[in-house]
Amino acid sequence: MIGLGSYGYTAPSSKKINAYDVPQGVDIRGRFDEEFAKILTKDALQFVADLQREFRNHIKYAMECRKEAKRRYNEGALPGFDPATRYIREGKWTCVPFPPAVADRRVEITGPVERKMIINALNSGAKVFMADFEDALSPSWENLMRGQINLKDAVEGTITFNDKARNRVYKLNNEIAKLFVRPRGWHLPEAHIFIDGEPATGCLVDFGLYFYHNYATFRNTQGQGFGPFFYLPKMENSREAKIWNSVFEKAEKMAGIEKGSIRATVLIETLPAVFQMDEILYELRDHSVGLNCGRWDYIFSYVKTFQGHPDRLFPDRGQVGMTQHFMRSYSDLLIRTCHRRGVHAMGGMAAQIPIRDDPTANEAAFELVRKDKQREVKAGHDGTWAAHPGLIKTCMEVFTNNMGNTPNQIETVKRDDASNLTEDDLLQRPRGVRTMEGLRLNTRVGIQYLAAWLTGSGSVPLYNLMEDAATAEISRVQIWQWLKYGVELDGDGLGVRVNHVFGRVVEEEMARIEREVGKEKFKKGMYKEACKIFTRQCTASTLDDFLTLDAYNYIVIHHPKDVSSKL
Ligand SMILES: CC(=O)SCCNC(=O)CCNC(=O)[C@H](O)C(C)(C)COP(=O)(O)OP(=O)(O)OC[C@H]1O[C@@H](n2cnc3c(N)ncnc32)[C@H](O)[C@@H]1OP(=O)(O)O
Ligand SMILES: O=CC(=O)O
Ligand SMILES: [Mg+2]
């Protein structure tokens, strides 16, 4: 795969050809860099290769099972609780107690593994920082490797950033947030690292390299004897959690640390996973620190799961919030499940970010965040996510005002009432209407997000909201669904069929993007490529599983073969 991304390879001018020192069967096809070589050490790569070799067949099987489930849903089946695991849901068991270091998680900031943002996030006053290799990161070789270097420096406490243009040096405060790391999902390959002739599994690379280089320091300085800590994304079934549990056990064994040292919070962000929450916690019961409502991917997953169900068409993206019955039910059941099993029930991300140039709009955005957090804390969540340091104070106030001095609500808010929630509650169709403006916004946001992603930015501010891979997915699948089923835009009295106007909408929105970003930026950016990928996916007869799988081909830059093999 040769990509079109912005990180071109330049052949070294000196005679010395640099190469990574790799173990048997490992081939690095990403650019050589002496800094990267400190991460891609032979021992660290051996650990990644060991993980890959032990788990690749389990992962392949789990991905096959996803396909099989998709086939069933496409034929009309609905996701639901599995009768075979009723004994787990009804059994009286708990997860191991949470480590003291993460008892209080009332506000967690998230962000990509970018150097300045890592420092800002750790200094932000949040209790936790989730450093993201996933929704917020475009997984180019440069971003991934620099991310690993940045995290290593952060764990060692030596990370600094010199912003020369602003004459500002960034470094860590004395008190910093606890670090969680989110590797990619199971489905994404890492095409710059081949193991036994196949691309490595992206998340095993992210996890393996980070764990190998940081576990010892992290446990001494951050984890009070525990750790490292992780967030695990996009799982659909507990068999996938079981693989993670085995990966953790293998890592603990390699490191010679106690079983249960590594801890992870699983994002419940696919529709099938909401019916597997007990089962997921059960598989990870020795390593769990809770579940989180990954609301954006969850909405995306609802549309994706029901891609074959024309009776489940979505209203405009802006109307599908946490107050819709199916979303509220998901959050309530997650809280009930977590507290019953003795772990944290984390809330999710409000997409609003501070609006600098408009105080009225800014206050309205903060009010929406405040309301969202109030709903979460009153429902029983133990903490929440913030997308921007400017939101920490507001989120913290809401949680502290409601929780007082208790670090969490695990023992105090049991939500036994939520045990009555049914499959119907969790699947209830969202209410709302579809409008031309909804279609236009989806188009504009999807293309601009993808253009940013192709040039290295995985999270961007667009129209005063945080956009990342999960939110962009909603825009994509929603248009796909509307086109597939030829829906009428019923919310603005125009009665227009999406199929009749989509081509024109794309052209007009591209023109609007050009006006908004300026001719120069538009020409230099990857808007045309983004438009091509986005519209292809929206109009495909079969829905692509992920926007970023196809787009990934555009950011893979292979190093010349003879340079990456050992000389
Ligand atoms: C669906 C999900 O998965 S949600 C989780 C994944 N998504 C994310 O993590 C998104 C995180 N948020 C972000 O990436 C950013 O806030 C954005 C892209 C939305 C907006 O970023 P910017 O345009 O840089 O915001 P803005 O200009 O207001 O930033 C002001 C300062 O805050 C910093 N900042 C903004 N967001 C963050 C963050 N999440 N973490 C750390 N620092 C941040 C900026 O670096 C900047 O620092 P500086 O003043 O020292 O230069
Ligand atoms: O990862 C979080 C989400 O909402 O998606
Ligand atoms: Mg997500």
Side-chain angles (χ1 to χ4, degrees):
M1 279 182 281
I2 300 290
L4 306 168
S6 57
Y7 305 105
Y9 169 71
T10 315
S13 54
S14 73
K15 281 211 176 106
K16 178 172 173 274
I17 296 177
N18 292 313
Y20 295 102
D21 184 12
V22 294
Q24 188 79 32
V26 176
D27 186 17
I28 304 290
R29 302 191 181 178
R31 182 179 74 80
F32 180 83
D33 186 299
E34 282 180 9
E35 289 300 308
F36 298 177
K38 293 180 192 157
I39 296 295
L40 298 166
T41 60
K42 195 169 183 179
D43 288 349
L45 287 169
Q46 184 64 59
F47 176 54
V48 173
D50 290 347
L51 292 175
Q52 181 73 24
R53 286 175 182 140
E54 181 153 345
F55 297 109
R56 61 186 158 207
N57 288 338
H58 299 269
I59 299 166
K60 278 182 191 157
Y61 177 68
M63 296 306 100
E64 282 305 312
C65 290
R66 281 192 190 178
K67 277 192 203 150
E68 174 55 22
K70 178 166 90 171
R71 192 192 55 72
R72 280 186 279 109
Y73 302 143
N74 283 351
E75 284 173 1
L78 303 178
F81 295 106
D82 182 354
T85 49
R86 178 188 290 270
Y87 73 99
I88 295 177
R89 291 192 298 282
E90 293 183 354
K92 283 200 177 0
W93 51 271
T94 54
C95 297
V96 290
F98 52 78
V102 290
D104 186 345
R105 303 171 62 178
R106 62 189 73 196
V107 181
E108 303 189 336
I109 188 166
T110 69
V113 286
E114 196 241 302
R115 201 161 180 87
K116 182 180 79 171
M117 281 175 96
I118 290 177
I119 303 174
N120 280 339
L122 288 169
N123 287 343
S124 68
K127 299 287 180 189
V128 164
F129 165 44
M130 188 204 74
D132 202 6
F133 284 101
E134 214 243 344
D135 285 336
L137 191 83
S138 166
S140 67
W141 181 241
E142 304 292 316
N143 282 350
L144 293 167
M145 290 303 113
R146 291 201 190 289
Q148 290 284 351
I149 295 167
N150 296 341
L151 289 180
K152 186 163 182 287
D153 291 348
V155 172
E156 286 168 1
T158 57
I159 190 168
T160 58
F161 177 74
N162 190 353
D163 184 343
K164 288 192 185 123
R166 290 155 78 195
N167 195 21
R168 186 171 163 194
V169 177
Y170 292 72
K171 59 186 177 51
L172 293 180
N173 294 341
N174 289 334
E175 221 174 283
I176 55 169
K178 290 279 181 290
L179 183 65
F180 278 57
V181 170
R182 178 163 73 170
R184 283 168 280 179
W186 286 122
H187 60 285
L188 287 170
E190 177 43 64
H192 301 94
I193 300 183
F194 273 58
I195 297 174
D196 304 334
E198 274 183 347
T201 306
C203 60
L204 294 183
V205 172
D206 303 339
F207 167 82
L209 294 176
Y210 172 72
F211 179 84
Y212 188 86
H213 289 293
N214 299 291
Y215 73 86
T217 313
F218 184 93
R219 290 158 55 78
N220 284 333
T221 58
Q222 280 233 346
Q224 295 165 244
F226 284 88
F229 304 137
F230 295 92
Y231 256 104
L232 303 176
K234 292 189 177 50
M235 286 195 265
E236 296 192 4
N237 186 282
S238 61
R239 77 173 64 79
E240 300 172 26
K242 189 180 168 96
I243 306 175
W244 270 119
N245 194 62
S246 304
V247 169
F248 292 165
E249 285 180 357
K250 189 174 172 79
E252 288 163 343
K253 214 160 158 192
M254 179 283 294
I257 59 178
E258 238 175 87
K259 178 168 155 176
S261 295
I262 299 173
R263 294 303 178 96
T265 299
V266 171
L267 288 132
I268 298 301
E269 53 179 356
T270 66
L271 190 63
V274 83
F275 301 102
Q276 290 269 313
M277 293 195 289
D278 274 310
E279 290 84 338
I280 287 171
L281 285 178
Y282 188 74
E283 292 299 348
L284 280 159
R285 62 195 179 280
D286 292 328
H287 293 104
S288 177
V289 278
L291 302 176
N292 167 300
C293 279
R295 61 174 76 165
W296 302 106
D297 267 310
Y298 192 74
I299 296 169
F300 155 50
S301 175
Y302 188 105
V303 180
K304 185 161 84 169
T305 305
F306 287 128
Q307 60 188 271
H309 297 234
D311 57 333
R312 287 180 186 269
L313 302 174
F314 253 47
D316 282 359
R317 181 187 134 167
Q319 296 172 30
V320 187
M322 293 307 296
T323 53
Q324 292 272 359
H325 183 79
F326 80 110
M327 295 298 279
R328 192 192 287 269
S329 304
Y330 141 67
S331 149
D332 288 347
L333 188 60
L334 183 142
I335 295 164
R336 196 254 171 184
T337 308
C338 286
H339 289 185
R340 189 158 163 244
R341 307 306 180 187
V343 289
H344 291 74
M346 301 303 297
M349 182 69 90
Q352 289 76 21
I353 48 177
I355 304 169
R356 257 187 246 126
D357 50 3
D358 183 343
T360 312
N362 189 50
E363 183 40 40
F366 271 73
E367 190 48 29
L368 286 174
V369 174
R370 221 172 273 125
K371 270 202 183 124
D372 185 58
K373 302 307 141 198
Q374 243 148 25
R375 182 196 49 73
E376 287 185 329
V377 72
K378 284 187 191 307
H381 278 296
D382 301 294
T384 192
W385 275 13
H388 190 287
L391 294 164
I392 305 289
K393 187 166 164 273
T394 302
C395 298
M396 197 68 88
E397 265 169 21
V398 173
F399 270 77
T400 303
N401 287 345
N402 283 274
M403 283 176 17
N405 287 331
T406 50
N408 55 64
Q409 312 196 79
I410 298 172
E411 292 305 327
T412 51
V413 183
K414 288 298 185 188
R415 291 303 310 267
D416 284 336
D417 56 309
S419 63
N420 297 326
L421 288 167
T422 63
E423 290 173 347
D424 283 349
D425 291 308
L426 294 161
L427 298 178
Q428 197 189 80
R429 291 164 181 77
R431 291 175 210 283
V433 294
R434 291 176 282 278
T435 65
M436 182 62 113
E437 188 40 38
L439 175 65
R440 287 190 179 282
L441 191 65
N442 276 335
T443 309
R444 215 156 59 235
V445 164
I447 292 171
Q448 288 185 88
Y449 176 76
L450 199 48
W453 193 93
L454 291 171
T455 47
S457 297
S459 57
V460 284
L462 286 174
Y463 309 106
N464 299 328
L465 295 178
M466 179 280 298
E467 296 288 344
D468 69 6
T471 60
E473 284 285 27
I474 302 173
S475 293
R476 172 182 73 101
V477 292
Q478 184 157 65
I479 296 179
W480 180 88
Q481 186 194 51
W482 291 355
L483 283 170
K484 172 90 179 170
Y485 296 110
V487 305
E488 208 170 83
L489 299 174
D490 55 0
D492 38 23
L494 300 174
V496 178
R497 280 201 184 281
V498 175
N499 310 53
H500 297 163
V501 292
F502 184 58
R504 179 163 61 78
V505 164
V506 170
E507 275 175 26
E508 289 173 2
E509 294 309 315
M510 279 294 276
R512 177 165 169 184
I513 294 170
E514 185 173 9
R515 280 198 305 280
E516 285 178 357
V517 304
K519 275 194 186 327
E520 195 63 17
K521 184 172 171 199
F522 189 81
K523 213 161 87 196
K524 282 197 191 137
M526 291 189 74
Y527 295 94
K528 288 193 177 141
E529 291 82 354
C531 180
K532 209 164 126 195
I533 299 170
F534 188 75
T535 49
R536 188 205 60 73
Q537 290 211 11
C538 290
T539 54
S541 56
T542 308
L543 181 66
D544 282 29
D545 287 341
F546 292 97
L547 174 64
T548 50
L549 257 180
D550 181 21
Y552 183 55
N553 295 323
Y554 288 75
I555 62 167
V556 171
I557 314 266
H558 277 171
H559 197 70
K561 178 79 180 86
D562 57 334
V563 182
S564 63
S565 56
K566 201 152 180 268
L567 299 170

